[in-house]
């Protein structure tokens, strides 16, 4: 049986109210209007009334299409190719809502890029701020954790605490979810403890400036802050990465936005995803310590590990995010040695396998150059990607509930089997 059976189809020739349309499609009334705004349905006003009606045949056609997308091909467990208007990756480039993402990140702040992902509109000069009550609740929860707690764990706890403080968290209307995103992201940053106590009040200005003081005790310079802000914007989304798929599955089950982001944070902590830059960071420090990449690469390969920071399954050539960040890092004071170490890693590995540097290696150069811990890249990644997760949750709330419910392909013993003794 399916988790969600479609409502009976309408009688032909009728016009349906918003409530009836929502029942046929198996969505909330707010989602019906989202379909209208996206051009998937057309509506008409009843004479003398402010309510809208919908053509029954159009509604049933959309319902059939949604059911086909949810069911996939006969005998399959669902179609995991998800329609999205957020990010396109094509020919070693990627685009946010059709706009080159690298050009967008170079010309706009992280907050402006987030707004573009969410709404398709640029809001110059926008900054995110969270209510002091939300920040205090999140800080108290994070400060209660053991000192050795990882940044990913701190961010998950902060998200849970912020959710508990928000009485509107179960409202999945677009404007409410947008408000959640604008509050949650600065709350995640503010909940992280500053590296130096005299920076505890640095919670004003662009998000990158606030995050800087949670990553290093060094004084920021303009070039370094630009790298951090651009990195956040570049990493805001990357199509259906593993963490983003987890977010969409949670949103498909109508989990609220905080819970959906928590699902993404859980997946992000894997060494093949958000934590990859930390491995590259440690490798660069080893190269700097030994003066050459040769023994370090040899040790990685001898241990049966991939060389971190190289190659990407979606780019046959250069990772465009790495290209942008390496260009900006040329202007960062004290980044020269780490840049040389990264080039040494690429050149040494290219003797046998021609792999390009990816964004994890660029992040590692940045974090190692700025006196940040190896976990800093994961923190940057998680904060940045929260914008994309909110965008995907918003998009999924407009789709049929529980559509990403695959069926298992059972390969165990065929029943009936005797009861175990």
């Amino acid at each position: 049986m399916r988790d969600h059976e479609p409502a009976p189809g309408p009688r032909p020739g009728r016009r349906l109210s918003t409530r009836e349309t929502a029942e046929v499609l198996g969505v909330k009334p707010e989602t019906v209007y989202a379909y209208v705004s996206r051009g998937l349905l057309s509506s008409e006003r009843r004479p003398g009334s402010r309510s809208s009606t919908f053509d029954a045949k159009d509604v049933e056609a959309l319902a059939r299409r949604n059911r086909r997308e949810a069911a996939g091909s006969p005998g399959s467990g669902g179609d995991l190719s998800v329609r999205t208007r957020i990010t396109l990756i094509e020919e070693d480039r990627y685009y946010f809502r059709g706009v080159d993402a690298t050009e967008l990140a170079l010309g706009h702040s992280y907050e402006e890029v987030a707004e573009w992902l969410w709404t398709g509109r640029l809001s110059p000069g926008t900054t995110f701020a969270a209510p002091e009550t939300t920040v205090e609740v999140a800080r108290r929860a994070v400060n209660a954790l053991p000192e050795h707690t990882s940044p990913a764990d701190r961010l998950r706890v902060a998200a849970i605490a912020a959710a508990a403080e928000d009485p509107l968290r179960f409202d999945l209307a677009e404007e409410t979810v947008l408000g959640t995103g604008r509050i949650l992201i600065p709350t995640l940053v503010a909940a992280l403890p500053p590296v130096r106590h005299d920076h505890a009040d640095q919670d004003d200005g662009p998000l990158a400036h606030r995050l800087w003081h949670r990553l290093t005790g060094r004084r920021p310079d303009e070039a370094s802050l630009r790298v951090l802000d651009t990195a956040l914007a570049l990493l805001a989304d990357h199509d259906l990465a593993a963490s983003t798929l987890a977010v969409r599955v949670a949103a498909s089950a109508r989990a609220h936005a905080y819970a959906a982001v928590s699902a993404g944070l859980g997946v992000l902590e894997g060494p093949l995803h958000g934590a990859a830059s930390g491995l590259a960071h440690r490798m660069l420090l080893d190269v700097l310590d030994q003066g050459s990449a040769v023994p370090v690469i040899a040790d990685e390969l001898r241990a049966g590990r991939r060389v971190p920071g190289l190659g990407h399954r979606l780019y046959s050539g250069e990772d465009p995010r790495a290209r942008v960040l390496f260009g900006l890092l040329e202007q960062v004071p004290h980044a020269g040695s780490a840049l040389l170490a990264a080039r040494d890693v690429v050149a040494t590995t290219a003797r046998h396998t021609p792999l390009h540097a990816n964004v994890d290696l660029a992040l590692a150069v940045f974090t190692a150059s700025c006196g940040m811990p190896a976990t800093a890249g994961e923190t940057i990644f998680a904060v940045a990607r929260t914008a994309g997760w909110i965008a995907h949750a918003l998009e999924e709330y407009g789709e049929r509930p529980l559509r990403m419910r695959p069926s298992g392909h059972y390969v165990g013993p065929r029943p009936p089997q005797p009861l175990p003794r």
Side-chain angles (χ1 to χ4, degrees):
M1 291 183 64
R2 296 196 179 278
D3 289 327
H4 182 83
E5 296 295 341
R11 295 193 304 275
R14 290 181 58 216
R15 293 199 68 81
L16 305 180
S17 68
T18 302
R19 181 182 60 78
E20 290 171 328
T21 300
E23 289 176 355
V24 171
L25 295 173
V27 299
K28 290 186 174 184
E30 296 92 337
T31 304
V32 173
Y33 293 109
Y35 283 140
V36 173
S37 66
R38 288 156 51 192
L40 299 176
L41 276 179
S42 59
S43 63
E44 291 180 8
R45 289 284 175 86
R46 285 175 172 162
S49 171
R50 297 180 61 186
S51 59
S52 300
T53 64
F54 303 84
D55 185 88
K57 289 188 292 186
D58 291 346
V59 173
E60 180 56 20
L62 180 58
R64 284 196 302 269
R65 189 173 78 179
N66 287 350
R67 290 197 291 272
R68 283 196 303 270
E69 291 172 356
S73 58
S76 76
D79 184 2
L80 290 182
S81 177
V82 179
R83 292 183 308 150
T84 177
R85 288 177 168 82
I86 300 171
T87 300
L88 170 67
I89 299 175
E90 189 174 69
E91 297 179 354
D92 290 343
R93 299 175 71 183
Y94 74 121
Y95 306 85
F96 290 160
R97 294 190 179 273
V99 176
D100 188 292
T102 59
E103 294 178 9
L104 198 65
L106 282 168
H108 295 277
S109 71
Y110 168 68
E111 292 96 316
E112 291 167 356
V113 171
E115 289 287 344
W116 174 255
L117 285 174
W118 297 342
T119 67
R121 298 186 299 272
L122 279 175
S123 302
T126 187
T127 57
F128 296 156
E132 189 59 33
T133 53
T134 303
V135 171
E136 282 305 312
V137 166
R139 278 179 177 163
R140 285 200 300 271
V142 168
N143 290 340
L145 296 170
E147 188 174 346
H148 63 267
T149 302
S150 71
D153 286 336
R154 294 181 192 275
L155 291 171
R156 278 200 298 272
V157 168
I160 293 168
E165 174 65 15
D166 185 359
L168 301 180
R169 62 187 179 277
F170 295 106
D171 182 356
L172 305 185
E174 181 176 349
E175 283 305 314
T176 305
V177 177
L178 286 172
T180 296
R182 294 169 185 136
I183 288 174
L184 177 57
I185 292 174
T187 298
L188 294 178
V189 173
L192 294 172
V195 176
R196 286 170 45 175
H197 292 297
D198 57 334
H199 291 161
D201 58 348
Q202 298 287 341
D203 284 331
D204 297 322
L207 194 86
H209 190 86
R210 287 175 262 168
L211 181 59
W212 174 275
H213 297 290
R214 269 78 184 176
L215 301 175
T216 179
R218 291 187 184 178
R219 298 284 179 183
D221 58 85
E222 186 176 342
S224 297
L225 284 174
R226 190 181 182 210
V227 173
L228 179 55
D229 189 45
T230 305
L232 289 169
L234 290 169
L235 293 167
D237 193 55
H238 207 233
D239 195 32
L240 288 182
S243 57
T244 305
L245 181 59
V247 168
R248 291 200 75 130
V249 171
S252 176
R254 297 303 182 257
H256 56 69
Y258 298 94
V261 167
S262 296
L265 286 168
V267 176
L268 193 71
E269 200 171 7
L272 301 182
H273 197 3
S277 66
L279 302 177
H281 177 111
R282 295 182 183 94
M283 176 188 68
L284 282 185
L285 294 185
D286 288 341
V287 173
L288 290 169
D289 183 56
Q290 300 201 34
S292 170
V294 172
V296 178
I297 299 301
D299 286 344
E300 292 287 337
L301 297 177
R302 185 181 298 118
R305 295 188 294 263
R306 289 181 54 191
V307 179
L310 298 180
H312 196 288
R313 63 187 297 269
L314 297 182
Y315 300 114
S316 57
E318 189 176 22
D319 184 336
R321 302 167 298 177
R323 183 185 69 248
V324 170
L325 291 180
F326 279 126
L328 294 177
L329 283 162
E330 295 282 356
Q331 310 302 318
V332 171
H334 313 300
S337 297
L339 279 169
L340 288 174
R343 294 187 183 115
D344 193 8
V345 168
V346 174
T348 301
T349 309
R351 298 179 190 177
H352 305 286
T353 307
L355 292 175
H356 296 276
N358 62 32
V359 72
D360 297 314
L361 190 61
L363 272 182
V365 170
F366 175 65
T367 55
S369 303
C370 297
M372 298 177 183
T375 56
E378 183 179 355
T379 305
I380 295 167
F381 205 114
V383 171
R385 193 55 57 88
T386 303
W389 292 337
I390 294 291
H392 281 274
L394 271 168
E395 199 170 60
E396 193 60 41
Y397 291 146
E399 299 289 351
R400 180 175 176 268
L402 293 172
R403 68 189 184 119
M404 285 190 282
R405 182 14 179 124
S407 300
H409 179 61
Y410 180 74
V411 294
R414 295 298 306 171
Q417 295 287 322
L419 287 172
R421 294 186 179 182

